[in-house]
Amino acid sequence: MSTRAAASAAASSSQQFSDILLGGLAVDGGLFLPASYPQVTGAELDAWRQLSYADLAYEILKKFATDIPDADLRALTAKTYTKEVYKNARQGEKASQITPLRVLEEGANGTKLVLQALSNGPTLAFKDMAMQLLGNLFEYALAKQNAQLNIFGATSGDTGSAAEYAMRGKKGIRVFMLSPHKKMSAFQTAQMFSLQDPNIFNIAIEGVFDDAQDMVKAVSNDLPFKAQQKIGTVNSINWARVVAQVVYYFRGYLSATTSNDQKVSFTVPSGNFGNICAGHIARMMGLPIAKLVAATNENDVLDEFFRTGVYRVRKSAETYHTSSPSMDISKASNFERFIYDLVGRDGDRTRALFQKVETHGGFDLSGKPGADGDEFKQVAKYGFKSGKSTHEDRLNTIRDVADDYGIVIDTHTADGIKVARENLEPGVTMIVLETALAAKFNETILDALGEDAERPEGFENIEDLPQKFVVMPPDVEKMKAYIAANTGL
Ligand SMILES: *Cc1c(COP(=O)(O)O)cnc(C)c1O
């Protein structure tokens, strides 16, 4: 159901997992969530501790995707979560564990800091964890309906490449991905443009990211064209992506513990609130998570909310370009899912609050005079904490971690470690989610360490590979003509 469903409509607006898989927003503009969170028992957790990642993913997805036959779902997770797909594990990590843990430090006072690697997939960032499954789910769902889908989006880096690597070679799917011409790093450009698959279309727009994003909006607003060309998206509000991310919170907890009375906290480098939203859902399902700590960079919309109860989105001019660029967001697109729970699953309240975001740039749940509500006092009940990390903090953390533990972490993970250290508690294991490998953000690594980040095998000469892309002006009609010519629809 939708986070904006009127109470009277809630019961009748239920939809199946497969129906919302290929859709985006609910018709009322809200985000999809289940009518209630499926619960896990202690016995299930015990049994799951020994499972492979793929089998664990099957058990968890089964609780949400109730309309996909068991055997099909098992085949889909088995095909997705393999050591061949998530092969970029560091030395000392087992690729077969898919999201291996590495203990960084155990304090004398009983604190423990652990890294969970989520970036061993094809594009070296955590978005592969969900996107690879999405590619297989899409192909499966489309084949059943004998349908096709043309994914159309804009990227400044990680999401676009994760989508292309998930959809390449998939039957019934094409990807049209816009990016700002000559504005991505050489590594990111090479990753995307070196794909030669006939169903992948890289379009470099003469302009900045916002120009590319505006073109996506303009084309998507032409509803007849969108329907005719079977256009869809894979952005971070996609419900199946969020569900797929729930799995690694279970894997992290189960791998870090030996019994269910042990508590674990997670620190999550956050931007659009998609990753940590999955942690919230895992906790609501009954996973014994103590704290969920949102780590932001200088773009601290989320940190501000979790400190004060005020959600104040930023304008473009107030959104900084930082050295952890995948967290440079001014408006957290999945935040509405958490607020819906926070206000007692009241769709009318949620709708009013997020309409106020559009009209007044935010809302205030601090409970102070004139505020929109006082639910901020409930936030602690959901385990949320937060912190912020700056460019200077990132450089220092990358240096510290290299010196102390001999591994090189990326800039986003550095934000996570910095904030995690401020939130360690005796007797509670703190897991930091590693959201990218350092090779993707080499410029900052070079600044911090004076040497290049190591590249996983196969990425050594990626910039030298032949590239396939077209350059286009930001012209909506030309874009439509290009799409139609290539879909033949
Ligand atoms: C996307 C991304 C994030 C932010 O994740 P959200 O789900 O948007 O909060 C953090 N780090 C990296 C490397 C990313 O690619």
Side-chain angles (χ1 to χ4, degrees):
M1 54 178 288
S2 161
T3 53
R4 299 192 188 182
S8 55
S12 60
S13 65
S14 287
Q15 279 179 279
Q16 299 283 327
F17 184 84
S18 301
D19 298 333
I20 61 179
L21 175 68
L22 301 166
L25 287 173
V27 282
D28 56 18
L31 307 185
F32 289 107
L33 272 180
S36 63
Y37 292 114
Q39 296 298 300
V40 293
T41 63
E44 280 177 306
L45 288 178
D46 287 337
W48 291 356
R49 212 170 245 108
Q50 307 308 325
L51 294 183
S52 68
Y53 193 96
D55 287 344
L56 180 65
Y58 162 74
E59 295 292 343
I60 291 167
L61 280 154
K62 190 160 85 113
K63 291 183 179 280
F64 294 94
T66 45
D67 56 330
I68 299 181
D70 283 357
D72 293 354
L73 190 59
R74 204 182 267 286
L76 287 164
T77 58
K79 179 176 170 189
T80 305
Y81 296 109
T82 68
K83 63 178 193 296
E84 288 73 32
V85 174
Y86 296 91
K87 66 179 179 194
N88 299 303
R90 283 203 180 85
Q91 269 203 334
E93 292 173 357
K94 275 211 186 83
S96 59
Q97 292 176 345
I98 311 297
T99 63
L101 302 188
R102 171 188 289 259
V103 178
L104 293 185
E105 89 197 5
E106 289 190 72
N109 60 350
T111 59
K112 195 168 176 179
L113 184 63
V114 174
L115 200 60
Q116 184 174 7
L118 303 184
S119 20
N120 295 343
T123 73
L124 313 184
F126 90 96
K127 297 196 170 65
D128 292 329
M129 292 306 305
M131 206 70 94
Q132 287 288 318
L133 180 72
L134 204 63
N136 288 326
L137 278 170
F138 275 8
E139 187 176 50
Y140 169 82
L142 290 166
K144 270 199 153 177
Q145 300 172 12
N146 193 19
Q148 38 176 315
L149 176 69
N150 293 306
I151 293 167
F152 183 50
T155 188
S156 55
D158 288 347
T159 307
S161 60
E164 291 188 354
Y165 280 77
M167 308 298 166
R168 62 187 295 200
K170 293 276 185 286
K171 284 189 272 310
I173 305 177
R174 293 182 197 87
V175 179
F176 294 88
M177 191 58 66
L178 276 51
S179 57
H181 188 37
K182 295 186 173 161
K183 301 279 189 318
M184 292 189 295
S185 76
F187 185 90
Q188 284 177 318
T189 308
Q191 247 188 335
M192 288 177 57
F193 292 8
S194 65
L195 290 178
Q196 301 294 331
D197 306 72
N199 71 328
I200 303 294
F201 299 88
N202 283 303
I203 305 157
I205 297 294
E206 293 167 324
V208 295
F209 173 70
D210 286 337
D211 298 317
Q213 183 73 42
D214 286 347
M215 296 205 27
V216 172
K217 282 187 198 145
V219 171
S220 302
N221 285 340
D222 182 344
L223 298 181
F225 180 82
K226 203 177 153 194
Q228 155 90 39
Q229 293 296 325
K230 316 256 180 267
I231 296 216
T233 56
V234 287
N235 52 24
S236 88
I237 56 167
N238 184 290
W239 171 238
R241 277 181 70 182
V242 177
V243 174
Q245 291 170 179
V246 170
V247 178
Y248 52 72
Y249 286 88
F250 278 84
R251 180 71 282 160
Y253 176 82
L254 294 169
S255 299
T257 58
T258 49
S259 83
N260 306 331
D261 50 11
Q262 295 168 330
K263 285 236 170 187
V264 167
S265 292
F266 288 89
T267 299
V268 187
S270 294
N272 267 322
F273 206 75
N275 194 348
I276 200 166
C277 183
H280 165 66
I281 292 167
R283 195 172 180 277
M284 297 299 278
M285 292 170 72
L287 188 67
I289 297 177
K291 297 267 156 43
L292 284 166
V293 186
T296 73
N297 62 19
E298 289 88 337
N299 297 295
D300 57 354
V301 189
L302 293 170
D303 181 42
E304 180 174 339
F305 177 80
F306 286 113
R307 279 185 298 102
T308 66
V310 176
Y311 183 59
R312 183 174 62 86
V313 303
R314 314 292 200 249
K315 300 192 178 67
S316 318
E318 269 187 284
T319 308
Y320 309 110
H321 289 286
T322 75
S323 48
S324 45
S326 303
M327 289 155 54
D328 291 347
I329 62 101
S330 45
K331 202 184 206 176
S333 55
N334 277 285
F335 195 50
E336 183 167 337
R337 290 193 158 110
F338 169 64
I339 292 296
Y340 178 66
D341 284 339
L342 184 68
V343 300
R345 303 204 125 212
D346 179 339
D348 295 320
R349 279 287 307 286
T350 308
R351 184 178 342 103
L353 290 172
F354 282 88
Q355 276 168 357
K356 194 160 175 202
V357 171
E358 296 309 318
T359 55
H360 292 78
F363 54 75
D364 178 349
L365 298 180
S366 68
K368 296 200 177 117
D372 304 293
D374 64 355
E375 283 85 355
F376 179 58
K377 63 176 192 287
Q378 309 279 345
V379 161
K381 194 178 91 183
Y382 292 90
F384 275 97
K385 298 263 288 174
S386 70
K388 166 180 174 176
S389 161
T390 65
H391 181 68
E392 203 55 40
D393 294 325
R394 274 190 284 290
L395 295 180
N396 288 331
T397 306
I398 290 167
R399 272 184 218 116
D400 284 357
V401 169
D403 289 349
D404 296 349
Y405 318 120
I407 61 166
V408 177
I409 53 167
D410 98 290
T411 51
H412 307 76
T413 309
D415 291 330
I417 298 229
K418 190 268 180 179
V419 172
R421 281 186 162 146
E422 297 164 351
N423 285 281
L424 296 174
E425 290 178 280
V428 183
T429 297
M430 174 62 83
I431 299 181
V432 178
L433 299 184
E434 176 172 58
T435 55
L437 290 191
K440 283 199 104 162
F441 303 97
N442 189 49
E443 227 169 64
T444 310
I445 303 300
L446 202 53
D447 278 353
L449 302 178
E451 55 187 70
D452 288 326
E454 204 185 325
R455 287 192 178 188
E457 218 178 288
F459 288 89
E460 296 86 353
N461 303 312
I462 187 170
E463 290 93 338
D464 302 334
L465 297 175
Q467 300 192 348
K468 187 184 91 160
F469 65 100
V470 296
V471 181
M472 281 175 76
D475 178 326
V476 176
E477 291 313 313
K478 282 207 173 111
M479 177 59 55
K480 287 185 189 165
Y482 179 80
I483 293 173
N486 283 291
T487 62
L489 289 171

